[in-house]
Amino acid sequence: YQGHFSWEKYLKETGAIAAPAHCFRQSTTPPVNEFKAGMKLEAQDPRNTTSTCIATVVGLTGSRLRLRLDGSDNKNDFWRLVDSSEIQPIGSCEKNGGMLQPPLGFRLNASSWPMFLLKTLNGAEMAPARIFHKEEPPAPEQNSFQVGMKLEAVDRKNPHFICPATVGEVRGVEVLVTFDGWRGAFDYYCRYDSRDIFPVGWCALTGDNLQPPGTKAFGVPKTLGAPGLLPDSSVEGTGTPPTPGRPPPQKKRKPGRKKTKLSGPW
Ligand code: MLZ
C-alpha cells in the first residue's frame, strides 16, 4: 500500500530520474515470499554476526521477513529479504559443522541454553528448505549510481520503513542515501551493493509498504544575518512542493554523526 504517493507524479514534480535497476543488488523480479508467521529458521544475530541463532518469523512485508531471535526480547526485531544470505533452514548450521548460539542479550542464564534450544525446536514449525532462495543476486560490477538519482531505501533507524530517497553523494564503492523530506536526520552511507536499497517501484512490485516523503523543507537554511530577505516559499509548512532535483549542497556530514536540529527564521 503506497497511500497517495505516486513515483510517476513525484519524478515529474522533482524533475529527477530513477536509478536504473542495474545499479542495485536486487533481483529484477522480486523474490517470492512463501514464509508464514510462526515459522522458525536460522539467522545471523545482527548484533553479533559471527553467531547463528534460531529466529521466528513474526511478520511479513513484501519480500521481507520480520524476525525475532528466540530467547531474545521483542525490542530487537530485524528485517531480512527472503533471498538474504543471512537466513537459512534449520539444520544448516549443524550440517556445516557449526553450533547454534544464544542471541546477544539471551534472557536466561547461559547455562540453560542447551535445554532452551531443545525445547524451542521441539515441535517447532520449521520453514521448509524449498522456500529459501539459493543465493543472493550478484553484486553489480561497479558503482553506477549518480548524484540526484531516486531510489527506495530502508530507513535504518526505523527498519520496517522503506522510503523515497535520493543519492546525495557517490564516493568510491559508497553512496550517500538521503531521505526525501527529512533534512538529513535519517541519511546514511552504504555500499552500492547494499541489500537495503531498491529501485523505484520495488515496493509496488513486492507489496511492501512505501512511506511517503517527509514534509520537512528540502535544502538548507540561508546564512543567518539577513532576516526578512528570505522569500516566503522558503518557510516550512506552506505546502510548497519540494524543490526540483537535488537540493542545494548540504554541509557534509560524517556517517553516523548526529546533526544539530535546525531552528530559526527560515
Ligand atoms: N516517527 C518517526 C518516523 C520517521 C521516519 C523517517 N523515515 C525516513 C519520526 O517522525 O521521527
Side-chain angles (χ1 to χ4, degrees):
Y1 176 68
Q2 311 212 165
H4 293 290
F5 177 71
S6 147
W7 267 119
E8 194 184 64
K9 267 182 139 175
Y10 188 65
L11 290 177
K12 262 187 206 139
E13 276 169 19
T14 55
I17 67 152
H22 72 255
C23 294
F24 297 87
R25 184 174 198 169
Q26 303 294 350
S27 56
T28 17
T29 46
V32 262
N33 191 345
E34 299 181 84
F35 289 81
K36 302 269 177 289
M39 285 180 169
K40 292 193 191 295
L41 44 81
E42 293 179 0
Q44 266 178 36
D45 184 342
R47 294 190 288 172
N48 186 16
T49 53
T50 56
S51 282
T52 307
C53 300
I54 296 294
T56 302
V57 176
V58 294
L60 304 136
T61 171
S63 291
R64 299 189 300 158
L65 306 172
R66 176 179 181 152
L67 299 173
R68 187 171 299 163
L69 298 181
D70 288 61
S72 171
D73 53 63
N74 57 7
K75 302 275 141 61
N76 289 287
D77 290 354
F78 55 103
W79 282 256
R80 289 291 174 266
L81 285 160
V82 293
D83 62 0
S84 165
S85 59
E86 292 166 20
I87 58 169
Q88 57 194 20
I90 286 175
S92 314
C93 180
E94 195 177 39
K95 216 189 303 178
N96 299 322
M99 278 219 322
L100 289 169
Q101 302 295 322
L104 201 88
F106 182 50
R107 51 187 167 73
L108 304 176
N109 197 295
S111 63
S112 51
W113 170 246
M115 189 52 72
F116 178 90
L117 182 60
L118 211 65
K119 287 183 177 162
T120 299
L121 293 179
N122 194 274
E125 184 187 359
M126 303 184 194
R130 59 167 178 81
I131 68 176
F132 288 84
H133 295 253
K134 300 114 261 311
E135 52 207 359
E136 297 198 333
E141 257 157 52
Q142 47 169 341
N143 187 353
S144 304
F145 287 101
Q146 284 171 25
V147 170
M149 286 176 167
K150 298 285 184 193
L151 64 153
E152 299 181 5
V154 171
D155 171 354
R156 289 183 171 174
K157 289 185 182 166
N158 305 279
H160 49 298
F161 286 151
I162 298 183
C163 312
T166 307
V167 175
E169 192 185 330
V170 179
R171 180 171 85 174
V173 293
E174 301 217 298
V175 292
L176 174 61
V177 174
T178 70
F179 287 94
D180 289 25
W182 289 99
R183 265 215 214 111
F186 300 91
D187 298 357
Y188 58 83
Y189 284 91
C190 66
R191 286 183 53 99
Y192 74 96
D193 56 359
S194 166
R195 306 284 344 261
D196 284 344
I197 55 177
F198 310 94
V200 161
W202 176 265
C203 285
L205 284 176
T206 61
D208 213 324
N209 186 9
L210 181 70
Q211 298 299 120
T215 54
K216 296 191 186 290
F218 282 53
V220 289
K222 309 269 186 319
T223 320
L224 294 172
L229 297 179
L230 299 177
D232 283 352
S233 66
S234 66
V235 174
E236 225 185 293
T238 52
T240 320
T243 322
R246 166 88 184 126
Q250 305 192 351
K251 271 236 204 79
K252 260 199 201 140
R253 288 180 305 282
K254 284 216 189 91
R257 216 179 80 239
K258 263 236 184 88
K259 213 179 111 198
T260 323
K261 202 165 180 210
L262 302 169
S263 63
W266 46 80

